[in-house]
Amino acid sequence: MPSSPGDSVRPDPPGACGNGTETGSAIVEFIFLAVLLMVPVVYLILTVGQVQGGAYAVVGAADQAAKVFVLHDDLPTAQASAEQAMHMAVTDLGFDPADAQLTIACDGGCLTPGTIVTAYVQLRIELPVVGSLPGVTANAATVDSRATQKVGRFK
């Protein structure tokens, strides 16, 4: 078959690797960029998950502490039981109870029938991985919640 003018073979421009000898490194570049971009994204997702888990923990801890507090007849036992309930609720969601703080506030005598008792729980959320390093205290956030209960007339 005769060749037409459009079928002519053009020489490669200077500096180009022609004739199938191109040995690019696209895979290496892709892996490098994927790791470089994905590590911060994954870390952000882990941090947001920790904060969300902490938010759930303090809501449950405040609710349980307020419920347990109003069930007791004497103040020291009520306070100790509320602290224990808060620690259990925080521990159940995988947080350190030492990072949580409980404050009880009453609008009158704390165990007088009809009194409104408010439990306020704060929890420091550590950054994932960084918080497990010895001597490093890097907090992602502090979450808090409050719950109220009324001391009943009949116990």
Side-chain angles (χ1 to χ4, degrees), residues 9-57:
V9 177
R10 293 185 214 158
D12 289 334
C17 296
N19 301 329
T21 61
E22 187 173 323
T23 58
S25 59
I27 299 283
V28 173
E29 291 170 3
F30 175 76
I31 290 172
F32 175 73
L33 287 174
V35 168
L36 188 66
L37 295 173
M38 292 303 289
V39 167
V41 170
V42 169
Y43 193 76
L44 176 67
I45 291 169
L46 287 173
T47 303
V48 169
Q50 281 285 99
V51 172
Q52 186 65 41
Y56 287 137

Side-chain angles (χ1 to χ4, degrees), residues 115-155:
T115 301
I116 301 294
V117 175
T118 302
Y120 178 72
V121 177
Q122 278 187 308
L123 178 66
R124 287 188 335 262
I125 309 294
E126 292 183 351
L127 286 171
V129 180
V130 175
S132 64
L133 297 174
V136 177
T137 55
N139 293 334
T142 300
V143 291
D144 58 41
S145 181
R146 68 182 71 231
T148 58
Q149 288 287 319
K150 188 174 187 178
V151 178
R153 288 191 298 174
F154 307 105
K155 290 186 185 183

